[in-house]
Amino acid sequence: MSTADGVAGNPHEDTMLRELHDVLGTALAMAQEQLEKNGGFLPFGVTLADDGELRLVLVAPPEAEDGEGAEATEHQGDLDAEAMLADVIELLRQGREGCRAIAFASDVTLPEHGSDGIHAAAEHRDGGLLAAILPYEMTASGYVYAPVEPDGHDAQVFTD
């Protein structure tokens, strides 16, 4: 179900859309913060629990488990970000009980833009989906962000 097709004024649809925007916005903002602070970020998730709390979901890089975590984060290109994103999604799937909405974010290459971008997707337990891409470039004066663009997304966490 696309939230863009929601009926205006329907309190349930309005709440679901607000919750999707909350987790998606939080994921995009956290990714931007980490990008500007550390020059990159690893895939992560955000949950909105039934109690209204937003929580962060992270997985350790495989190298960190072997005691090489600090070195690994300096060389993020050497990490398998796709595998880490799959692990984050699996953790979100396992912990979805008690969550109203989830989002996950990852750093992606956008060949059509000639730049990198932040991809974030949000899912609601009642079926709503939102996804966005935030293209960015590193310039001499810092990161420059293009406008957020909507993106397609199939449910990966709330699938049944």
Side-chain angles (χ1 to χ4, degrees):
M1 165 180 160
S2 171
T3 55
D5 298 332
V7 177
N10 179 331
H12 180 71
E13 291 281 331
D14 291 346
T15 298
M16 182 173 59
L17 186 56
R18 180 181 44 79
E19 291 174 345
L20 284 167
H21 278 278
D22 285 351
V23 293
L24 186 69
T26 299
L28 286 169
M30 290 180 69
Q32 279 183 277
E33 181 181 321
Q34 290 303 307
L35 187 63
E36 291 178 17
K37 182 178 176 183
N38 301 315
F41 68 96
L42 298 174
F44 66 91
V46 176
T47 63
L48 175 62
D50 285 337
D51 64 9
E53 290 291 319
L54 287 168
R55 295 185 176 96
L56 187 61
V57 176
L58 302 166
V59 295
E63 292 82 0
E65 294 169 5
D66 298 333
E68 300 175 14
E71 182 180 324
T73 55
E74 293 175 12
H75 305 291
Q76 288 183 13
D78 297 338
L79 297 175
D80 187 348
E82 277 187 44
M84 290 183 70
L85 179 59
D87 290 346
V88 167
I89 292 169
E90 183 57 31
L91 279 175
L92 291 168
R93 193 176 292 127
Q94 291 172 9
R96 69 185 178 185
E97 194 68 33
C99 291
R100 296 194 307 244
I102 62 90
F104 50 87
S106 61
D107 203 355
V108 295
T109 301
L110 303 171
E112 66 276 9
H113 290 84
S115 70
D116 290 328
I118 299 167
H119 178 265
E123 301 179 20
H124 199 278
R125 70 176 168 204
D126 294 336
L129 301 170
L130 284 178
I133 293 176
L134 178 58
Y136 69 84
E137 289 185 66
M138 177 60 168
T139 67
S141 60
Y143 287 96
V144 175
Y145 299 93
V148 174
E149 300 174 13
D151 194 31
H153 176 69
D154 292 325
Q156 296 183 48
V157 174
F158 294 109
T159 56
D160 47 16

